[in-house]
């Protein structure tokens, strides 16, 4: 037999899988990317990105969605798409400016409206006879009874009745007469329960001051009517669009005219 050969000597380095090789520093350096090559690749990618029409349009300060829509609207014409974006931005700015002006106007109007409401509330309490001038309830009370009520614990309830009369005459304009009659009847009932000091005993025939006890009776009567009014007016009607039945014409004589607290 011939001489034995060392098999390992016949195995070339290139035949060994790379992962099993002992990599030298020189080999590692060869495998590393050339910095110049990396820079060239990066430049190419940047150029490709710069050439992307969507990226160019986004540089105008719009979202990708807007850029795509404008490019599509311009049939792919980049210059036309840029002009469309400029028009879009100008229109958007005008809309935003208009919305801002409208918001400011609404805030000013609301502030002015609130100011008027506050002023009305103040006038209601400081000068109710003047503020509610023309109301049927007030006119039928008479000046002396009205003045006495506004100077008593009944003041807030009297103001509430007057306020409700105003609203009802606005809400039910078509039946304004019936509404006015109803509030007139309340006033007539109130006056019927008023008693004066020295009434019938004063030779001059002039009436004295209103008795405090009768004012309590009148107040109780007004509270009862106010409760009925609120229940009738603020509740949903049985038939939509109809006037509350409480304002239907009635025979005044059939109603109780006085209140007995005993």
């Amino acid at each position: 037999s011939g001489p034995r050969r060392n098999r390992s000597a016949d195995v070339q380095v290139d035949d060994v899988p790379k992962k099993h090789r002992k990599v030298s520093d020189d080999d590692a350096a060869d495998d590393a990317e050339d910095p110049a090559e990396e820079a060239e690749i990066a430049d190419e990618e940047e150029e490709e990105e710069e050439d992307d029409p969507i990226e160019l349009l986004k540089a105008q300060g719009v979202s990708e969605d807007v850029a795509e829509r404008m490019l599509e609207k311009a049939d792919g014409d980049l210059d036309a798409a840029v002009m469309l974006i400029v028009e879009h931005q100008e229109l958007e700015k005008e809309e935003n400016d208009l919305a801002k002006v409208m918001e400011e106007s609404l805030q000013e109007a609301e502030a002015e409206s609130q100011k008027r409401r506050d002023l009305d509330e103040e006038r209601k309490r400081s000068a109710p006879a003047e503020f509610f001038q023309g109301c049927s309830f007030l006119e039928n009370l008479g000046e002396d009874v009205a003045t006495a009520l506004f100077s008593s614990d009944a003041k807030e309830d009297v103001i509430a009745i007057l306020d409700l009369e105003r609203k009802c005459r606005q809400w039910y304009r078509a039946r304004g007469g019936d509404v006015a009659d109803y509030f007139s009847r309340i006033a007539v009932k109130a006056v019927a329960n008023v008693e004066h000091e020295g009434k019938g005993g004063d030779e001059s025939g002039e009436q004295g001051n209103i008795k405090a006890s009768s004012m309590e009776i009148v107040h109780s009567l007004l509270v009862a009517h106010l409760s009925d009014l609120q229940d009738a007016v603020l509740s949903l009607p049985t038939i939509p669009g109809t006037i509350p039945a409480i304002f239907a014409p009635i025979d005044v004589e059939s109603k109780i005219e006085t209140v007995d607290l005993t």
Side-chain angles (χ1 to χ4, degrees), residues 20 26 28 63 81 85 98 142 158 163 177 190 201 206 230-231 251:
H20 295 304
D26 292 339
S63 65
I85 286 176
L98 180 60
V158 173
D163 212 19
E206 294 182 0
Q230 290 172 334
D231 289 342
D251 180 5

Side-chain angles (χ1 to χ4, degrees), residues 125-184:
R125 283 155 181 79
S126 62
E130 179 183 344
F131 184 81
F132 289 106
Q133 188 174 10
C135 287
S136 298
F137 177 73
L138 185 61
E139 290 180 348
N140 284 273
L141 280 179
E143 185 177 349
D144 60 335
V145 176
T147 300
L149 287 171
F150 288 138
S151 302
S152 70
D153 294 339
K155 179 177 180 178
E156 289 301 319
D157 292 312
V158 173
I159 289 175
I161 291 175
L162 289 166
D163 212 19
L164 200 52
E165 179 184 348
R166 265 197 174 178
K167 292 177 180 177
C168 288
R169 293 176 77 165
Q170 290 177 347
W171 296 337
Y172 314 116
R173 291 180 184 275
R175 299 285 294 277
D178 292 334
V179 172
D181 288 344
Y182 178 84
F183 283 94
S184 297

Side-chain angles (χ1 to χ4, degrees), residues 43-162:
D43 290 341
E44 290 176 356
E45 292 177 350
E46 187 175 343
E47 288 177 4
E48 290 177 0
E49 191 172 294
E50 289 178 354
D51 291 340
D52 184 356
I54 298 299
E55 293 300 324
L56 291 171
L57 294 176
K58 284 172 61 178
Q60 301 295 317
V62 296
S63 65
E64 184 170 340
D65 178 61
V66 173
E68 290 176 349
R69 286 192 290 109
M70 295 305 167
L71 188 63
E72 181 180 354
K73 191 174 180 179
D75 296 327
D77 187 327
L78 186 58
D79 291 336
V82 170
M83 293 303 298
L84 288 174
I85 286 176
V86 171
E87 293 175 3
H88 171 79
Q89 290 174 327
E90 290 178 350
L91 179 61
E92 192 175 56
K93 183 178 183 302
E94 289 178 2
E95 291 175 347
N96 290 336
D97 290 344
L98 180 60
K100 184 179 179 181
V101 171
M102 290 180 65
E103 178 65 22
E104 290 175 352
S105 297
L106 287 173
Q107 290 176 354
E108 290 175 1
E110 176 58 29
E112 186 64 28
S113 178
Q114 184 60 50
K115 184 178 178 180
R116 286 196 300 270
R117 288 194 294 268
D118 293 341
L119 183 60
D120 285 346
E121 288 298 321
E122 183 181 346
R123 289 180 57 212
K124 282 180 188 179
R125 283 155 181 79
S126 62
E130 179 183 344
F131 184 81
F132 289 106
Q133 188 174 10
C135 287
S136 298
F137 177 73
L138 185 61
E139 290 180 348
N140 284 273
L141 280 179
E143 185 177 349
D144 60 335
V145 176
T147 300
L149 287 171
F150 288 138
S151 302
S152 70
D153 294 339
K155 179 177 180 178
E156 289 301 319
D157 292 312
V158 173
I159 289 175
I161 291 175
L162 289 166

Side-chain angles (χ1 to χ4, degrees), residues 209-230:
N209 295 328
I210 297 175
K211 289 182 178 180
S213 58
S214 70
M215 290 302 297
E216 292 177 3
I217 294 175
V218 171
H219 188 189
S220 298
L221 184 148
L222 295 179
V223 168
H225 277 290
L226 178 60
S227 178
D228 291 343
L229 272 167
Q230 290 172 334

